[in-house]
Every structure is written in structure tokens, then in C-alpha cells.
């Protein structure tokens, strides 16, 4: 087998008994790293430490990974302007966080015969948030509902990084306000005029 030393140096092609003897001498494990190679490649390493480090790398990669989330916002065709502004605010927040937003217009009764009202409402919402997101799937009628999906312009990872930076800036600003000494109050005799 081809043996690689503990610091990555090539030891050469050695028999199994010699490799095991070297592993005991260095107080390390003999680990096969390439079984399909001719001859097979083995390395002298601390296997427990190797497993720990690879688990930590995987954990760090998972921490930085972004999950795509689809948030849903439900509207009615005859929505009040204030309610519309509130719902639009939620959509803006979701898009800023890097999430997709599924907007559903629910039709009831006679509203079902006027799907153009829902279509206009969806187009208005899309034009109001076009600086933050784009129409990923155009409005389409699905039974009693009309559905449209908006996707964010920036990726979830970028939004998460911006949020972390903003949070760090707020913490630094709050810390700066705490360290400033309050102005000293005048002595009692100065206040009373004596």
C-alpha cells in the first residue's frame, strides 16, 4: 500500500505490517483514504480528531445554508385601502428577508364572476413592490382563488448577511450610548443660589 505520513508527506509503498508498526510508533490511526487506487492509499492520522473536524465543517456549512421559504398572503378583491397597505407591508418585509411570497385572492359568491378585479389587485401589488421582487409566476385562476408568486431580487443568503450587519450596527450604536457618561448634575448649593 502507498502510505502518507501524519503531516501529508509521502512515505512510499510499504507492506501492511510496516504501516501498522509506523501507526503504533506515532500513536495514530491507519486510515484507508483511496481504496480503488492501485496500490490502495492509506494515511496516518488521528481519526477521532478528523471526524470531529469534518463534523464541525458540516455544521458550519449548515449554519450558513439558506432555506427557501414561501410565505403566503391572502387578500379579498374588495379590500380596504388601509388593509391593503398593511398586507403590502408584510409582503415588503418578506421580500426584504429574501423569501418568496405566494399571494392568494379569495373570491366568494358573485365575486367569482369578476376575476379581473383580482387580476388588477395582483398587478397593483406587483407594481408596488417591483423594486424588491419580481413576478415569478403570473396570476392564474385556481377554482375560487387567483394565485401569483413573487420572488425576491436578492438571495436569502444576501438578505441574512445584511440583517446580521444591521444587527451588529445596532448593537454597536446601543453600546456607544451606554458608554457615554451622563452630564453631571449641578451641586445643590449652585441650584439653590446660595
Amino acid at each position: 500500500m502507498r502510505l502518507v505520513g501524519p503531516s501529508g508527506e509521502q512515505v512510499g509503498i510499504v507492506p501492511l505490517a510496516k504501516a501498522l508498526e509506523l501507526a503504533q510508533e506515532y500513536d495514530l490511526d491507519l486510515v484507508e483514504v483511496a481504496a480503488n487506487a492501485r496500490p490502495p492509499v492509506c494515511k496516518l492520522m488521528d481519526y477521532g480528531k478528523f471526524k470531529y473536524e469534518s463534523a464541525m465543517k458540516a455544521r458550519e456549512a449548515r449554519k450558513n445554508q439558506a432555506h427557501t421559504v414561501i410565505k403566503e398572503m391572502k387578500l379579498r378583491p374588495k379590500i380596504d385601502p388601509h388593509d391593503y397597505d398593511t398586507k403590502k407591508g408584510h409582503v415588503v418585509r418578506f421580500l426584504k428577508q429574501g423569501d418568496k411570497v405566494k399571494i392568494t385572492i379569495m373570491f366568494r359568491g358573485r365575486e367569482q364572476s369578476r376575476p379581473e378585479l383580482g387580476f388588477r389587485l395582483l398587478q397593483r401589488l406587483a407594481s408596488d413592490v417591483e423594486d424588491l421582487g419580481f413576478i415569478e409566476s403570473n396570476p392564474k385562476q385556481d377554482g375560487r382563488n387567483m394565485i401569483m408568486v413573487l420572488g425576491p431580487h436578492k438571495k436569502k443568503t444576501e438578505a441574512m448577511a445584511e440583517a446580521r450587519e444591521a444587527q451588529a450596527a445596532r448593537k454597536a450604536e446601543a453600546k456607544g450610548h451606554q458608554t457615554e457618561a451622563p452630564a453631571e448634575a449641578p451641586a445643590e448649593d449652585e441650584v439653590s443660589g446660595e
Side-chain angles (χ1 to χ4, degrees):
M1 74 176 66
R2 186 178 302 278
L3 186 64
V4 179
S7 54
E9 77 278 1
Q10 293 285 332
V11 175
I13 297 175
V14 295
L16 177 62
K18 174 86 168 132
L20 289 170
E21 187 180 305
L22 284 171
Q24 278 186 332
E25 186 180 312
Y26 283 112
D27 194 29
L28 294 172
D29 301 313
L30 182 65
V31 180
E32 186 174 39
V33 289
N36 295 335
R38 290 282 164 240
V41 181
C42 294
K43 184 174 182 179
L44 295 174
M45 67 168 74
D46 184 352
Y47 189 64
K49 182 179 176 184
F50 170 74
K51 279 188 70 169
Y52 173 76
E53 287 174 352
S54 62
M56 293 307 288
K57 284 179 188 172
R59 185 175 175 190
E60 190 68 28
R62 272 196 312 275
K63 187 174 123 181
N64 293 332
Q65 187 177 30
H67 300 288
T68 304
V69 179
I70 297 180
K71 305 282 189 172
E72 185 170 14
M73 189 59 51
K74 293 189 176 186
L75 306 170
R76 298 286 317 278
K78 298 176 182 172
I79 190 168
D80 186 65
H82 180 266
D83 292 339
Y84 172 80
D85 291 338
T86 303
K87 299 275 187 172
K88 183 179 84 173
H90 293 311
V91 171
V92 165
R93 187 180 75 226
F94 295 148
L95 290 173
K96 280 185 179 176
Q97 292 172 352
D99 295 323
K100 292 181 180 182
V101 184
K102 176 182 174 184
I103 297 143
T104 305
I105 304 268
M106 301 175 295
F107 295 100
R108 288 199 301 208
R110 290 185 180 173
E111 293 172 350
Q112 292 178 41
S113 64
R114 303 277 311 274
E116 67 275 359
L117 292 175
F119 184 79
R120 269 191 258 135
L121 184 62
L122 288 174
Q123 291 300 324
R124 178 178 155 206
L125 182 62
S127 66
D128 286 348
V129 297
E130 68 183 342
D131 55 324
L132 297 170
F134 61 95
I135 298 175
E136 197 166 278
S137 81
N138 288 315
K140 58 181 173 269
Q141 188 81 26
D142 182 29
R144 292 183 171 195
N145 301 327
M146 185 175 281
I147 298 167
M148 175 177 78
V149 178
L150 294 175
H153 285 307
K154 57 183 167 185
K155 292 185 169 41
K156 181 79 170 178
T157 51
E158 294 170 10
M160 287 169 57
E162 283 181 14
R164 273 191 237 114
E165 289 172 11
Q167 186 178 16
R170 282 195 303 272
K171 281 184 181 178
E173 186 178 311
K175 198 175 241 185
H177 286 288
Q178 290 176 352
T179 58
E180 292 177 12
E184 290 187 28
E188 274 188 47
D189 52 282
E190 291 175 0
V191 173
S192 62
E194 293 177 29

